[in-house]
């Protein structure tokens, strides 16, 4: 029988956060593929797990994935773990999962800790809609494009950041997004866990003088729909309603549809559009 890939979530700090199911699977599988075997061996030793380890990381993710797929085709059961949290979330495991599907290998995920969700739930920000951006790209052009997209996003934004880049990232976020509410989380689930709701401008000032240590999750308020609507209205401030109508009618909109679109753009009723058109016609 063909083996299966088990995505096993491991603690992001507090070892008590590992699930009973993950512990059982780590003991039962034939092999554990780990992002850093040195980190994982400490976890396995803590729980007296003797399953063999192999490395699976960013630099061998494709070649090693195919090698492990062959083992699963021979019937081996394999667990994948990351350094901390859920595999395949901002992690080379996503490539492994894709290759398994392409090669007909069954994949299952054992839920557990994930820093992005842990931080979001305690952030005090809106949680119904959110966008997970992980670490911003290091390439300057790509980074700028992502920040530009984020500026218009109405969802709560979730970012990861290392202590070495936190200051510069906070400055970039302030410049790109404006002065929004942000919750800064550090050392999640650990003894010295911290979370602080502040604004981007205050965060920039506060972290200028701080000794920065630990891994961070940043939860940022999305752009308000009111701001977007107000910005859309300003686009048409110097355009008459008749000219505004012509924009839509030139695109093939009938009179009624054009009036509806103009009303939406300006945040007014169709009756007001109709009245303004009559007034403009009288003044010609």
């Amino acid at each position: 029988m063909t083996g299966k890939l088990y995505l096993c979530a491991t603690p992001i700090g507090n070892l008590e956060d590992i699930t009973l199911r993950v512990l059982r699977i780590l003991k039962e599988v034939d092999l554990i593929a780990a992002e850093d075997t040195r980190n994982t061996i400490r976890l396995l030793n803590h729980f007296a797990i003797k399953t063999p380890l192999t490395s699976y990381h960013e630099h061998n993710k494709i070649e090693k994935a195919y090698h492990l797929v062959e083992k699963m085709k021979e019937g081996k059961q394999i667990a994948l773990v990351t350094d901390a949290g859920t595999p395949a979330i901002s992690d080379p495991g996503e490539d492994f999962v894709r290759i398994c599907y392409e090669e007909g290998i069954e994949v299952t995920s054992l839920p557990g800790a994930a820093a992005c969700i842990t931080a979001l739930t305690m952030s005090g920000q809106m949680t119904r809609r959110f966008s997970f951006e992980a670490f911003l790209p290091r390439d300057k052009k790509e980074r700028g494009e992502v920040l530009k997209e984020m500026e218009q996003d109405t969802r709560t934004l979730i970012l990861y950041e290392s202590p070495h880049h936190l200051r510069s990232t906070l400055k970039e976020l302030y410049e790109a997004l404006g002065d929004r509410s942000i919750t800064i989380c550090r050392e999640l689930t650990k003894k010295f866990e911290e979370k602080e709701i502040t604004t981007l401008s205050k965060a920039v000032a506060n972290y200028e003088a701080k000794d920065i240590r630990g891994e961070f999750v940043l939860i940022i308020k999305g752009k308000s729909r009111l701001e977007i609507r107000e910005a859309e209205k300003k686009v048409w401030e110097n355009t008459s309603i008749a000219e505004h109508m012509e924009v839509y009618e030139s695109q093939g909109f009938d009179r009624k549809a054009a009036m509806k679109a103009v009303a939406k753009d300006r945040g007014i009723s169709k009756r007001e559009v109709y009245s303004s058109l009559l007034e403009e016609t009288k003044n010609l």
Side-chain angles (χ1 to χ4, degrees):
M1 290 181 65
T2 303
K4 184 189 294 187
L5 178 66
Y6 296 85
L7 305 177
C8 293
T10 53
I12 58 177
N14 192 319
L15 292 179
E16 293 179 3
D17 291 336
I18 199 164
T19 69
L20 294 175
R21 185 180 174 208
V22 166
L23 288 174
R24 176 176 63 80
I25 291 298
L26 290 179
K27 290 176 182 177
E28 292 179 357
V29 293
D30 300 293
L31 184 65
I32 298 171
E35 186 175 12
D36 188 330
T37 55
R38 294 167 300 181
N39 284 342
T40 302
I41 195 66
R42 288 194 287 270
L43 176 73
L44 299 185
N45 286 341
H46 181 83
F47 291 106
I49 297 171
K50 305 297 183 182
T51 307
L53 276 174
T54 189
S55 64
Y56 179 80
H57 48 72
E58 183 65 31
H59 304 294
N60 71 354
K61 62 182 182 180
I62 303 301
E63 181 183 356
K64 191 62 174 281
Y66 282 107
H67 173 73
L68 294 174
V69 161
E70 289 306 312
K71 288 188 174 294
M72 287 184 281
K73 286 181 178 179
E74 295 168 3
K76 301 293 184 184
Q77 308 294 330
I78 295 179
L80 178 66
V81 298
T82 184
D83 278 352
T86 301
I89 299 294
S90 186
D91 175 84
E94 66 178 320
D95 293 286
F96 196 178
V97 171
R98 174 180 53 79
I99 290 168
C100 282
Y101 275 98
E102 291 171 356
E103 296 293 321
I105 299 296
E106 187 179 352
V107 179
T108 190
S109 184
L110 283 60
C116 54
I117 298 301
T118 302
L120 176 65
T121 56
M122 69 168 70
S123 69
Q125 307 290 349
M126 299 291 288
T127 62
R128 190 177 72 84
R129 298 171 66 248
F130 57 91
S131 173
F132 175 57
E133 294 291 343
F135 289 92
L136 288 173
R138 291 297 166 211
D139 178 78
K140 189 175 181 180
K141 183 180 178 183
E142 188 181 356
R143 191 180 181 91
E145 290 171 351
V146 170
L147 286 168
K148 189 174 181 180
E149 290 173 2
M150 288 170 59
E151 195 276 329
Q152 293 297 321
D153 202 331
T154 58
R155 297 169 294 182
T156 299
L157 305 166
I158 308 174
L159 296 175
Y160 289 163
E161 194 49 275
S162 67
H164 312 295
H165 297 106
L166 183 67
R167 285 192 186 94
S168 59
T169 295
L170 287 172
K171 289 176 183 176
E172 283 184 278
L173 290 169
Y174 178 44
E175 290 168 3
L177 309 181
D179 199 14
R180 298 198 194 168
S181 174
I182 179 173
T183 305
I184 300 175
C185 301
R186 187 183 79 89
E187 297 292 85
L188 292 171
T189 77
K190 298 178 184 177
K191 183 177 180 180
F192 298 106
E193 174 182 280
E194 294 178 358
K195 51 269 182 189
E196 174 190 15
I197 298 182
T198 182
T199 62
L200 279 168
S201 62
K202 289 179 181 177
V204 168
N206 290 344
Y207 280 89
E208 202 56 60
K210 274 190 178 182
D211 180 25
I212 303 174
R213 296 181 184 180
E215 298 300 317
F216 291 82
V217 184
L218 311 178
I219 313 293
I220 307 163
K221 181 181 179 181
K223 188 167 187 173
S224 76
R225 294 185 181 279
L226 179 60
E227 282 182 281
I228 292 175
R229 285 196 295 270
E230 291 302 316
E232 288 172 348
K233 287 180 194 177
K234 286 182 180 179
V235 172
W236 302 103
E237 276 183 353
N238 298 319
T239 305
S240 70
I241 286 183
E243 290 169 333
H244 199 160
M245 286 285 292
E246 286 176 14
V247 170
Y248 285 109
E249 289 177 330
S250 67
Q251 296 174 25
F253 283 60
D254 61 33
R255 190 76 169 165
K256 186 176 180 181
M259 288 176 65
K260 184 177 180 180
V262 168
K264 183 179 179 182
D265 287 345
R266 292 175 175 264
I268 60 178
S269 67
K270 285 189 291 182
R271 181 180 292 277
E272 288 175 282
V273 173
Y274 180 71
S275 299
S276 295
L277 287 171
L278 286 178
E279 192 64 33
E280 288 178 27
T281 302
K282 289 178 185 178
N283 295 331
L284 288 176

